[in-house]
mmCIF file of all heavy atoms in Angstrom:
data_model
loop_
_atom_site.group_PDB
_atom_site.id
_atom_site.type_symbol
_atom_site.label_atom_id
_atom_site.label_comp_id
_atom_site.label_asym_id
_atom_site.label_seq_id
_atom_site.Cartn_x
_atom_site.Cartn_y
_atom_site.Cartn_z
ATOM 1 N N MET A 236 -33.728 -2.458 -20.413
ATOM 2 C CA MET A 236 -32.424 -2.373 -19.759
ATOM 3 C C MET A 236 -32.615 -1.877 -18.331
ATOM 4 O O MET A 236 -33.385 -0.980 -18.073
ATOM 5 C CB MET A 236 -31.520 -1.410 -20.534
ATOM 6 C CG MET A 236 -30.062 -1.511 -20.127
ATOM 7 S SD MET A 236 -29.007 -0.531 -21.203
ATOM 8 C CE MET A 236 -29.327 1.120 -20.587
ATOM 9 N N SER A 237 -31.906 -2.468 -17.392
ATOM 10 C CA SER A 237 -32.012 -2.060 -15.995
ATOM 11 C C SER A 237 -30.627 -1.917 -15.394
ATOM 12 O O SER A 237 -29.630 -2.332 -15.985
ATOM 13 C CB SER A 237 -32.825 -3.078 -15.205
ATOM 14 O OG SER A 237 -32.220 -4.339 -15.247
ATOM 15 N N GLU A 238 -30.586 -1.336 -14.203
ATOM 16 C CA GLU A 238 -29.320 -1.123 -13.524
ATOM 17 C C GLU A 238 -29.265 -1.944 -12.249
ATOM 18 O O GLU A 238 -30.264 -2.106 -11.569
ATOM 19 C CB GLU A 238 -29.131 0.360 -13.163
ATOM 20 C CG GLU A 238 -28.848 1.243 -14.352
ATOM 21 C CD GLU A 238 -28.645 2.689 -13.918
ATOM 22 O OE1 GLU A 238 -28.967 3.028 -12.765
ATOM 23 O OE2 GLU A 238 -28.182 3.468 -14.740
ATOM 24 N N ARG A 239 -28.092 -2.425 -11.946
ATOM 25 C CA ARG A 239 -27.894 -3.136 -10.677
ATOM 26 C C ARG A 239 -26.642 -2.574 -10.020
ATOM 27 O O ARG A 239 -25.701 -2.170 -10.702
ATOM 28 C CB ARG A 239 -27.678 -4.627 -10.918
ATOM 29 C CG ARG A 239 -28.855 -5.306 -11.577
ATOM 30 C CD ARG A 239 -29.335 -6.499 -10.763
ATOM 31 N NE ARG A 239 -30.479 -7.131 -11.434
ATOM 32 C CZ ARG A 239 -30.385 -8.254 -12.128
ATOM 33 N NH1 ARG A 239 -29.229 -8.865 -12.233
ATOM 34 N NH2 ARG A 239 -31.443 -8.768 -12.713
ATOM 35 N N VAL A 240 -26.650 -2.568 -8.701
ATOM 36 C CA VAL A 240 -25.446 -2.174 -7.972
ATOM 37 C C VAL A 240 -24.344 -3.169 -8.284
ATOM 38 O O VAL A 240 -24.556 -4.379 -8.291
ATOM 39 C CB VAL A 240 -25.726 -2.126 -6.461
ATOM 40 C CG1 VAL A 240 -24.432 -1.904 -5.683
ATOM 41 C CG2 VAL A 240 -26.722 -1.023 -6.136
ATOM 42 N N CYS A 241 -23.177 -2.661 -8.576
ATOM 43 C CA CYS A 241 -22.032 -3.517 -8.889
ATOM 44 C C CYS A 241 -21.630 -4.306 -7.640
ATOM 45 O O CYS A 241 -21.359 -3.724 -6.596
ATOM 46 C CB CYS A 241 -20.873 -2.659 -9.378
ATOM 47 S SG CYS A 241 -19.371 -3.607 -9.671
ATOM 48 N N THR A 242 -21.600 -5.614 -7.766
ATOM 49 C CA THR A 242 -21.271 -6.444 -6.607
ATOM 50 C C THR A 242 -19.784 -6.441 -6.315
ATOM 51 O O THR A 242 -19.367 -6.725 -5.195
ATOM 52 C CB THR A 242 -21.739 -7.888 -6.826
ATOM 53 O OG1 THR A 242 -21.183 -8.368 -8.045
ATOM 54 C CG2 THR A 242 -23.245 -7.954 -6.897
ATOM 55 N N ALA A 243 -18.974 -6.103 -7.301
ATOM 56 C CA ALA A 243 -17.518 -6.126 -7.099
ATOM 57 C C ALA A 243 -17.065 -5.035 -6.138
ATOM 58 O O ALA A 243 -16.124 -5.218 -5.377
ATOM 59 C CB ALA A 243 -16.807 -5.990 -8.436
ATOM 60 N N CYS A 244 -17.742 -3.891 -6.171
ATOM 61 C CA CYS A 244 -17.333 -2.763 -5.325
ATOM 62 C C CYS A 244 -18.443 -2.339 -4.372
ATOM 63 O O CYS A 244 -18.263 -1.421 -3.586
ATOM 64 C CB CYS A 244 -16.921 -1.591 -6.207
ATOM 65 S SG CYS A 244 -18.263 -0.965 -7.242
ATOM 66 N N GLY A 245 -19.594 -2.976 -4.441
ATOM 67 C CA GLY A 245 -20.698 -2.644 -3.553
ATOM 68 C C GLY A 245 -21.318 -1.291 -3.841
ATOM 69 O O GLY A 245 -21.972 -0.706 -2.990
ATOM 70 N N GLY A 246 -21.085 -0.764 -5.028
ATOM 71 C CA GLY A 246 -21.702 0.499 -5.410
ATOM 72 C C GLY A 246 -20.821 1.711 -5.194
ATOM 73 O O GLY A 246 -21.187 2.822 -5.562
ATOM 74 N N SER A 247 -19.650 1.517 -4.606
ATOM 75 C CA SER A 247 -18.781 2.662 -4.337
ATOM 76 C C SER A 247 -18.014 3.098 -5.583
ATOM 77 O O SER A 247 -17.576 4.234 -5.691
ATOM 78 C CB SER A 247 -17.791 2.328 -3.226
ATOM 79 O OG SER A 247 -16.859 1.363 -3.653
ATOM 80 N N GLY A 248 -17.836 2.178 -6.520
ATOM 81 C CA GLY A 248 -17.075 2.498 -7.721
ATOM 82 C C GLY A 248 -15.576 2.376 -7.538
ATOM 83 O O GLY A 248 -14.816 2.568 -8.478
ATOM 84 N N LEU A 249 -15.146 2.082 -6.310
ATOM 85 C CA LEU A 249 -13.719 1.959 -6.032
ATOM 86 C C LEU A 249 -13.431 0.591 -5.430
ATOM 87 O O LEU A 249 -14.196 0.087 -4.624
ATOM 88 C CB LEU A 249 -13.258 3.034 -5.042
ATOM 89 C CG LEU A 249 -13.365 4.473 -5.504
ATOM 90 C CD1 LEU A 249 -13.037 5.414 -4.352
ATOM 91 C CD2 LEU A 249 -12.424 4.727 -6.660
ATOM 92 N N THR A 250 -12.317 0.021 -5.831
ATOM 93 C CA THR A 250 -11.902 -1.240 -5.238
ATOM 94 C C THR A 250 -10.406 -1.203 -4.971
ATOM 95 O O THR A 250 -9.676 -0.402 -5.559
ATOM 96 C CB THR A 250 -12.199 -2.436 -6.157
ATOM 97 O OG1 THR A 250 -11.628 -2.200 -7.423
ATOM 98 C CG2 THR A 250 -13.685 -2.685 -6.284
ATOM 99 N N GLU A 251 -9.969 -2.080 -4.100
ATOM 100 C CA GLU A 251 -8.545 -2.236 -3.838
ATOM 101 C C GLU A 251 -7.915 -3.023 -4.982
ATOM 102 O O GLU A 251 -8.411 -4.068 -5.367
ATOM 103 C CB GLU A 251 -8.334 -2.991 -2.522
ATOM 104 C CG GLU A 251 -8.769 -2.212 -1.299
ATOM 105 C CD GLU A 251 -7.799 -1.099 -0.965
ATOM 106 O OE1 GLU A 251 -6.591 -1.294 -1.149
ATOM 107 O OE2 GLU A 251 -8.255 -0.033 -0.544
ATOM 108 N N HIS A 252 -6.834 -2.513 -5.502
ATOM 109 C CA HIS A 252 -6.091 -3.226 -6.533
ATOM 110 C C HIS A 252 -4.763 -3.661 -5.938
ATOM 111 O O HIS A 252 -4.199 -2.988 -5.078
ATOM 112 C CB HIS A 252 -5.839 -2.327 -7.743
ATOM 113 C CG HIS A 252 -7.090 -1.937 -8.463
ATOM 114 N ND1 HIS A 252 -7.537 -2.575 -9.593
ATOM 115 C CD2 HIS A 252 -7.992 -0.971 -8.192
ATOM 116 C CE1 HIS A 252 -8.662 -2.011 -9.986
ATOM 117 N NE2 HIS A 252 -8.963 -1.035 -9.162
ATOM 118 N N GLU A 253 -4.274 -4.774 -6.440
ATOM 119 C CA GLU A 253 -3.007 -5.285 -5.937
ATOM 120 C C GLU A 253 -2.192 -5.804 -7.113
ATOM 121 O O GLU A 253 -2.705 -6.499 -7.979
ATOM 122 C CB GLU A 253 -3.262 -6.421 -4.932
ATOM 123 C CG GLU A 253 -2.047 -6.771 -4.113
ATOM 124 C CD GLU A 253 -2.414 -7.716 -2.966
ATOM 125 O OE1 GLU A 253 -3.139 -7.289 -2.048
ATOM 126 O OE2 GLU A 253 -1.991 -8.873 -3.013
ATOM 127 N N LEU A 254 -0.926 -5.422 -7.145
ATOM 128 C CA LEU A 254 -0.047 -5.843 -8.223
ATOM 129 C C LEU A 254 1.265 -6.323 -7.621
ATOM 130 O O LEU A 254 1.854 -5.648 -6.776
ATOM 131 C CB LEU A 254 0.210 -4.656 -9.164
ATOM 132 C CG LEU A 254 1.135 -4.945 -10.347
ATOM 133 C CD1 LEU A 254 0.464 -5.871 -11.344
ATOM 134 C CD2 LEU A 254 1.528 -3.637 -11.022
ATOM 135 N N HIS A 255 1.688 -7.500 -8.060
ATOM 136 C CA HIS A 255 2.939 -8.061 -7.561
ATOM 137 C C HIS A 255 4.002 -7.965 -8.653
ATOM 138 O O HIS A 255 3.769 -8.374 -9.782
ATOM 139 C CB HIS A 255 2.749 -9.532 -7.165
ATOM 140 C CG HIS A 255 1.753 -9.725 -6.069
ATOM 141 N ND1 HIS A 255 2.084 -9.631 -4.740
ATOM 142 C CD2 HIS A 255 0.433 -9.967 -6.102
ATOM 143 C CE1 HIS A 255 0.999 -9.831 -4.008
ATOM 144 N NE2 HIS A 255 -0.019 -10.033 -4.806
ATOM 145 N N THR A 256 5.131 -7.408 -8.297
ATOM 146 C CA THR A 256 6.234 -7.331 -9.242
ATOM 147 C C THR A 256 7.505 -7.816 -8.560
ATOM 148 O O THR A 256 7.581 -7.907 -7.333
ATOM 149 C CB THR A 256 6.453 -5.883 -9.745
ATOM 150 O OG1 THR A 256 6.750 -5.043 -8.642
ATOM 151 C CG2 THR A 256 5.225 -5.366 -10.479
ATOM 152 N N ILE A 257 8.502 -8.127 -9.371
ATOM 153 C CA ILE A 257 9.821 -8.498 -8.856
ATOM 154 C C ILE A 257 10.798 -7.395 -9.235
ATOM 155 O O ILE A 257 11.022 -7.125 -10.407
ATOM 156 C CB ILE A 257 10.301 -9.841 -9.459
ATOM 157 C CG1 ILE A 257 9.289 -10.948 -9.184
ATOM 158 C CG2 ILE A 257 11.679 -10.193 -8.922
ATOM 159 C CD1 ILE A 257 9.195 -11.354 -7.721
ATOM 160 N N ASP A 258 11.337 -6.725 -8.228
ATOM 161 C CA ASP A 258 12.328 -5.689 -8.477
ATOM 162 C C ASP A 258 13.724 -6.229 -8.202
ATOM 163 O O ASP A 258 13.929 -7.056 -7.316
ATOM 164 C CB ASP A 258 12.082 -4.484 -7.560
ATOM 165 C CG ASP A 258 10.869 -3.669 -7.992
ATOM 166 O OD1 ASP A 258 10.241 -4.032 -9.002
ATOM 167 O OD2 ASP A 258 10.571 -2.675 -7.319
ATOM 168 N N LEU A 259 14.693 -5.744 -8.961
ATOM 169 C CA LEU A 259 16.082 -6.119 -8.746
ATOM 170 C C LEU A 259 16.784 -5.013 -7.979
ATOM 171 O O LEU A 259 16.677 -3.839 -8.328
ATOM 172 C CB LEU A 259 16.800 -6.331 -10.088
ATOM 173 C CG LEU A 259 16.359 -7.539 -10.923
ATOM 174 C CD1 LEU A 259 17.122 -7.565 -12.226
ATOM 175 C CD2 LEU A 259 16.579 -8.837 -10.151
ATOM 176 N N ASP A 260 17.507 -5.381 -6.912
ATOM 177 C CA ASP A 260 18.269 -4.365 -6.204
ATOM 178 C C ASP A 260 19.645 -4.202 -6.856
ATOM 179 O O ASP A 260 19.954 -4.811 -7.874
ATOM 180 C CB ASP A 260 18.359 -4.680 -4.709
ATOM 181 C CG ASP A 260 19.157 -5.948 -4.420
ATOM 182 O OD1 ASP A 260 19.901 -6.412 -5.305
ATOM 183 O OD2 ASP A 260 19.023 -6.469 -3.304
ATOM 184 N N GLU A 261 20.473 -3.353 -6.255
ATOM 185 C CA GLU A 261 21.760 -3.031 -6.874
ATOM 186 C C GLU A 261 22.700 -4.236 -6.958
ATOM 187 O O GLU A 261 23.659 -4.240 -7.725
ATOM 188 C CB GLU A 261 22.432 -1.867 -6.128
ATOM 189 C CG GLU A 261 22.772 -2.163 -4.679
ATOM 190 C CD GLU A 261 21.622 -1.810 -3.735
ATOM 191 O OE1 GLU A 261 20.467 -1.713 -4.199
ATOM 192 O OE2 GLU A 261 21.892 -1.645 -2.539
ATOM 193 N N ASN A 262 22.420 -5.271 -6.166
ATOM 194 C CA ASN A 262 23.238 -6.475 -6.185
ATOM 195 C C ASN A 262 22.670 -7.558 -7.101
ATOM 196 O O ASN A 262 23.211 -8.653 -7.174
ATOM 197 C CB ASN A 262 23.368 -7.043 -4.763
ATOM 198 C CG ASN A 262 24.080 -6.076 -3.821
ATOM 199 O OD1 ASN A 262 25.089 -5.491 -4.195
ATOM 200 N ND2 ASN A 262 23.553 -5.899 -2.631
ATOM 201 N N GLY A 263 21.598 -7.236 -7.789
ATOM 202 C CA GLY A 263 21.002 -8.212 -8.695
ATOM 203 C C GLY A 263 20.092 -9.209 -8.003
ATOM 204 O O GLY A 263 19.679 -10.183 -8.605
ATOM 205 N N HIS A 264 19.787 -8.943 -6.728
ATOM 206 C CA HIS A 264 18.880 -9.830 -6.007
ATOM 207 C C HIS A 264 17.438 -9.458 -6.306
ATOM 208 O O HIS A 264 17.116 -8.279 -6.443
ATOM 209 C CB HIS A 264 19.131 -9.749 -4.498
ATOM 210 C CG HIS A 264 20.471 -10.274 -4.092
ATOM 211 N ND1 HIS A 264 21.291 -9.593 -3.218
ATOM 212 C CD2 HIS A 264 21.144 -11.388 -4.461
ATOM 213 C CE1 HIS A 264 22.418 -10.280 -3.054
ATOM 214 N NE2 HIS A 264 22.358 -11.377 -3.803
ATOM 215 N N GLN A 265 16.604 -10.470 -6.374
ATOM 216 C CA GLN A 265 15.204 -10.229 -6.675
ATOM 217 C C GLN A 265 14.423 -9.992 -5.396
ATOM 218 O O GLN A 265 14.536 -10.754 -4.437
ATOM 219 C CB GLN A 265 14.598 -11.426 -7.421
ATOM 220 C CG GLN A 265 15.210 -11.630 -8.802
ATOM 221 C CD GLN A 265 14.537 -12.758 -9.557
ATOM 222 O OE1 GLN A 265 13.904 -13.603 -8.950
ATOM 223 N NE2 GLN A 265 14.683 -12.761 -10.863
ATOM 224 N N ASN A 266 13.648 -8.930 -5.382
ATOM 225 C CA ASN A 266 12.809 -8.609 -4.232
ATOM 226 C C ASN A 266 11.353 -8.521 -4.687
ATOM 227 O O ASN A 266 11.020 -7.677 -5.515
ATOM 228 C CB ASN A 266 13.218 -7.253 -3.625
ATOM 229 C CG ASN A 266 14.598 -7.306 -3.007
ATOM 230 O OD1 ASN A 266 14.901 -8.163 -2.195
ATOM 231 N ND2 ASN A 266 15.451 -6.387 -3.413
ATOM 232 N N PRO A 267 10.509 -9.381 -4.154
ATOM 233 C CA PRO A 267 9.092 -9.265 -4.494
ATOM 234 C C PRO A 267 8.496 -8.006 -3.878
ATOM 235 O O PRO A 267 8.710 -7.723 -2.699
ATOM 236 C CB PRO A 267 8.465 -10.530 -3.905
ATOM 237 C CG PRO A 267 9.413 -10.981 -2.842
ATOM 238 C CD PRO A 267 10.779 -10.504 -3.242
ATOM 239 N N VAL A 268 7.810 -7.238 -4.678
ATOM 240 C CA VAL A 268 7.207 -5.986 -4.221
ATOM 241 C C VAL A 268 5.714 -6.049 -4.495
ATOM 242 O O VAL A 268 5.294 -6.471 -5.570
ATOM 243 C CB VAL A 268 7.823 -4.774 -4.956
ATOM 244 C CG1 VAL A 268 7.156 -3.477 -4.489
ATOM 245 C CG2 VAL A 268 9.323 -4.722 -4.712
ATOM 246 N N THR A 269 4.937 -5.659 -3.501
ATOM 247 C CA THR A 269 3.488 -5.618 -3.664
ATOM 248 C C THR A 269 3.032 -4.167 -3.726
ATOM 249 O O THR A 269 3.327 -3.380 -2.836
ATOM 250 C CB THR A 269 2.777 -6.329 -2.498
ATOM 251 O OG1 THR A 269 3.234 -7.670 -2.426
ATOM 252 C CG2 THR A 269 1.273 -6.329 -2.706
ATOM 253 N N HIS A 270 2.368 -3.833 -4.812
ATOM 254 C CA HIS A 270 1.816 -2.490 -4.955
ATOM 255 C C HIS A 270 0.316 -2.563 -4.690
ATOM 256 O O HIS A 270 -0.365 -3.394 -5.258
ATOM 257 C CB HIS A 270 2.056 -1.961 -6.375
ATOM 258 C CG HIS A 270 3.498 -1.926 -6.765
ATOM 259 N ND1 HIS A 270 4.309 -0.851 -6.497
ATOM 260 C CD2 HIS A 270 4.278 -2.850 -7.376
ATOM 261 C CE1 HIS A 270 5.527 -1.117 -6.946
ATOM 262 N NE2 HIS A 270 5.535 -2.319 -7.490
ATOM 263 N N ARG A 271 -0.166 -1.700 -3.821
ATOM 264 C CA ARG A 271 -1.605 -1.643 -3.552
ATOM 265 C C ARG A 271 -2.105 -0.216 -3.743
ATOM 266 O O ARG A 271 -1.440 0.731 -3.363
ATOM 267 C CB ARG A 271 -1.905 -2.077 -2.105
ATOM 268 C CG ARG A 271 -1.743 -3.571 -1.874
ATOM 269 C CD ARG A 271 -2.348 -3.964 -0.533
ATOM 270 N NE ARG A 271 -2.038 -5.349 -0.213
ATOM 271 C CZ ARG A 271 -0.945 -5.733 0.444
ATOM 272 N NH1 ARG A 271 -0.090 -4.832 0.848
ATOM 273 N NH2 ARG A 271 -0.724 -6.999 0.686
ATOM 274 N N TRP A 272 -3.245 -0.120 -4.341
ATOM 275 C CA TRP A 272 -3.840 1.209 -4.484
ATOM 276 C C TRP A 272 -5.345 1.050 -4.628
ATOM 277 O O TRP A 272 -5.854 -0.019 -4.944
ATOM 278 C CB TRP A 272 -3.246 1.940 -5.700
ATOM 279 C CG TRP A 272 -3.679 1.393 -7.031
ATOM 280 C CD1 TRP A 272 -4.668 1.886 -7.838
ATOM 281 C CD2 TRP A 272 -3.134 0.261 -7.732
ATOM 282 N NE1 TRP A 272 -4.763 1.117 -8.982
ATOM 283 C CE2 TRP A 272 -3.844 0.125 -8.941
ATOM 284 C CE3 TRP A 272 -2.109 -0.649 -7.446
ATOM 285 C CZ2 TRP A 272 -3.569 -0.889 -9.861
ATOM 286 C CZ3 TRP A 272 -1.839 -1.663 -8.363
ATOM 287 C CH2 TRP A 272 -2.545 -1.777 -9.549
ATOM 288 N N THR A 273 -6.025 2.131 -4.339
ATOM 289 C CA THR A 273 -7.476 2.159 -4.502
ATOM 290 C C THR A 273 -7.799 2.898 -5.790
ATOM 291 O O THR A 273 -7.332 4.017 -5.997
ATOM 292 C CB THR A 273 -8.155 2.863 -3.322
ATOM 293 O OG1 THR A 273 -7.804 2.179 -2.125
ATOM 294 C CG2 THR A 273 -9.657 2.847 -3.465
ATOM 295 N N GLY A 274 -8.547 2.262 -6.644
ATOM 296 C CA GLY A 274 -8.844 2.880 -7.924
ATOM 297 C C GLY A 274 -10.204 2.467 -8.441
ATOM 298 O O GLY A 274 -10.955 1.768 -7.767
ATOM 299 N N ALA A 275 -10.486 2.919 -9.627
ATOM 300 C CA ALA A 275 -11.780 2.644 -10.243
ATOM 301 C C ALA A 275 -12.002 1.144 -10.357
ATOM 302 O O ALA A 275 -11.115 0.393 -10.750
ATOM 303 C CB ALA A 275 -11.861 3.300 -11.614
ATOM 304 N N CYS A 276 -13.194 0.731 -9.999
ATOM 305 C CA CYS A 276 -13.556 -0.683 -10.047
ATOM 306 C C CYS A 276 -13.482 -1.195 -11.485
ATOM 307 O O CYS A 276 -13.958 -0.540 -12.417
ATOM 308 C CB CYS A 276 -14.972 -0.830 -9.512
ATOM 309 S SG CYS A 276 -15.646 -2.474 -9.681
ATOM 310 N N SER A 277 -12.887 -2.365 -11.642
ATOM 311 C CA SER A 277 -12.765 -2.928 -12.988
ATOM 312 C C SER A 277 -14.073 -3.546 -13.461
ATOM 313 O O SER A 277 -14.259 -3.789 -14.648
ATOM 314 C CB SER A 277 -11.647 -3.976 -13.019
ATOM 315 O OG SER A 277 -11.923 -4.999 -12.085
ATOM 316 N N GLY A 278 -14.977 -3.792 -12.525
ATOM 317 C CA GLY A 278 -16.245 -4.410 -12.899
ATOM 318 C C GLY A 278 -17.233 -3.422 -13.495
ATOM 319 O O GLY A 278 -18.047 -3.766 -14.340
ATOM 320 N N CYS A 279 -17.174 -2.167 -13.044
ATOM 321 C CA CYS A 279 -18.151 -1.171 -13.486
ATOM 322 C C CYS A 279 -17.472 0.095 -13.991
ATOM 323 O O CYS A 279 -18.139 1.082 -14.254
ATOM 324 C CB CYS A 279 -19.087 -0.829 -12.339
ATOM 325 S SG CYS A 279 -18.228 -0.105 -10.915
ATOM 326 N N ALA A 280 -16.149 0.074 -14.077
ATOM 327 C CA ALA A 280 -15.381 1.231 -14.551
ATOM 328 C C ALA A 280 -15.582 2.454 -13.676
ATOM 329 O O ALA A 280 -15.521 3.584 -14.148
ATOM 330 C CB ALA A 280 -15.691 1.546 -16.015
ATOM 331 N N GLY A 281 -15.868 2.227 -12.378
ATOM 332 C CA GLY A 281 -15.996 3.338 -11.446
ATOM 333 C C GLY A 281 -17.401 3.906 -11.332
ATOM 334 O O GLY A 281 -17.618 4.838 -10.574
ATOM 335 N N ALA A 282 -18.340 3.336 -12.055
ATOM 336 C CA ALA A 282 -19.695 3.879 -12.029
ATOM 337 C C ALA A 282 -20.468 3.446 -10.785
ATOM 338 O O ALA A 282 -21.401 4.126 -10.366
ATOM 339 C CB ALA A 282 -20.455 3.452 -13.276
ATOM 340 N N GLY A 283 -20.100 2.307 -10.195
ATOM 341 C CA GLY A 283 -20.803 1.827 -9.018
ATOM 342 C C GLY A 283 -22.032 0.993 -9.339
ATOM 343 O O GLY A 283 -22.633 0.401 -8.457
ATOM 344 N N LYS A 284 -22.403 1.001 -10.588
ATOM 345 C CA LYS A 284 -23.547 0.181 -10.997
ATOM 346 C C LYS A 284 -23.305 -0.315 -12.418
ATOM 347 O O LYS A 284 -22.528 0.281 -13.174
ATOM 348 C CB LYS A 284 -24.859 0.963 -10.928
ATOM 349 C CG LYS A 284 -24.826 2.276 -11.678
ATOM 350 C CD LYS A 284 -25.967 3.182 -11.226
ATOM 351 C CE LYS A 284 -25.796 4.580 -11.832
ATOM 352 N NZ LYS A 284 -26.740 5.519 -11.235
ATOM 353 N N ILE A 285 -23.969 -1.367 -12.725
ATOM 354 C CA ILE A 285 -23.794 -1.957 -14.048
ATOM 355 C C ILE A 285 -25.133 -2.032 -14.752
ATOM 356 O O ILE A 285 -26.174 -2.167 -14.118
ATOM 357 C CB ILE A 285 -23.148 -3.356 -13.956
ATOM 358 C CG1 ILE A 285 -23.929 -4.247 -12.986
ATOM 359 C CG2 ILE A 285 -21.686 -3.249 -13.554
ATOM 360 C CD1 ILE A 285 -23.374 -5.647 -12.881
ATOM 361 N N HIS A 286 -25.081 -1.910 -16.037
ATOM 362 C CA HIS A 286 -26.299 -1.975 -16.844
ATOM 363 C C HIS A 286 -26.541 -3.409 -17.289
ATOM 364 O O HIS A 286 -25.627 -4.076 -17.765
ATOM 365 C CB HIS A 286 -26.179 -1.072 -18.076
ATOM 366 C CG HIS A 286 -26.066 0.384 -17.738
ATOM 367 N ND1 HIS A 286 -27.144 1.155 -17.373
ATOM 368 C CD2 HIS A 286 -24.988 1.197 -17.679
ATOM 369 C CE1 HIS A 286 -26.728 2.385 -17.115
ATOM 370 N NE2 HIS A 286 -25.428 2.446 -17.281
ATOM 371 N N ILE A 287 -27.736 -3.850 -17.089
ATOM 372 C CA ILE A 287 -28.119 -5.200 -17.501
ATOM 373 C C ILE A 287 -28.950 -5.098 -18.785
ATOM 374 O O ILE A 287 -29.972 -4.405 -18.814
ATOM 375 C CB ILE A 287 -28.968 -5.895 -16.412
ATOM 376 C CG1 ILE A 287 -28.317 -5.755 -15.042
ATOM 377 C CG2 ILE A 287 -29.207 -7.345 -16.786
ATOM 378 C CD1 ILE A 287 -27.097 -6.582 -14.832
ATOM 379 N N HIS A 288 -28.466 -5.736 -19.798
ATOM 380 C CA HIS A 288 -29.210 -5.755 -21.063
ATOM 381 C C HIS A 288 -30.149 -6.963 -21.060
ATOM 382 O O HIS A 288 -29.703 -8.093 -20.963
ATOM 383 C CB HIS A 288 -28.262 -5.834 -22.249
ATOM 384 C CG HIS A 288 -27.404 -4.607 -22.381
ATOM 385 N ND1 HIS A 288 -27.805 -3.503 -23.077
ATOM 386 C CD2 HIS A 288 -26.205 -4.324 -21.878
ATOM 387 C CE1 HIS A 288 -26.842 -2.585 -22.996
ATOM 388 N NE2 HIS A 288 -25.863 -3.046 -22.274
ATOM 389 N N GLU A 289 -31.403 -6.696 -21.107
ATOM 390 C CA GLU A 289 -32.377 -7.777 -21.053
ATOM 391 C C GLU A 289 -33.230 -7.783 -22.309
ATOM 392 O O GLU A 289 -33.372 -6.769 -22.972
ATOM 393 C CB GLU A 289 -33.268 -7.638 -19.819
ATOM 394 C CG GLU A 289 -32.477 -7.794 -18.535
ATOM 395 C CD GLU A 289 -33.312 -7.478 -17.290
ATOM 396 O OE1 GLU A 289 -34.111 -6.538 -17.329
ATOM 397 O OE2 GLU A 289 -33.112 -8.168 -16.296
HETATM 398 ZN ZN1 ZN B 899 -17.852 -1.828 -9.413
#
């Protein structure tokens, strides 16, 4: 078993996440809302590297 730097986050363990939702305002109009945050990489679970099973 060996380790490789996670290519999804470049080894930092953090990536930008983006989520699009549709919110309704008080008049019932739909407003697209984009949520962005920096969080644990989904490729390596925040470890920054991945284990390769060989
Ligand atoms: Zn990663």
Side-chain angles (χ1 to χ4, degrees):
M236 194 172 77
S237 60
E238 288 181 347
R239 298 235 180 103
V240 172
C241 176
T242 55
C244 62
S247 68
L249 296 173
T250 54
E251 292 286 324
H252 294 262
E253 194 170 293
L254 179 70
H255 298 274
T256 60
I257 303 291
D258 286 359
L259 292 178
D260 66 17
E261 63 271 21
N262 297 316
H264 294 134
Q265 294 184 340
N266 293 308
V268 179
T269 302
H270 302 272
R271 287 193 188 89
W272 71 99
T273 302
C276 173
S277 59
C279 62
K284 53 197 171 190
I285 53 178
H286 296 282
I287 312 287
H288 295 272
E289 295 173 321

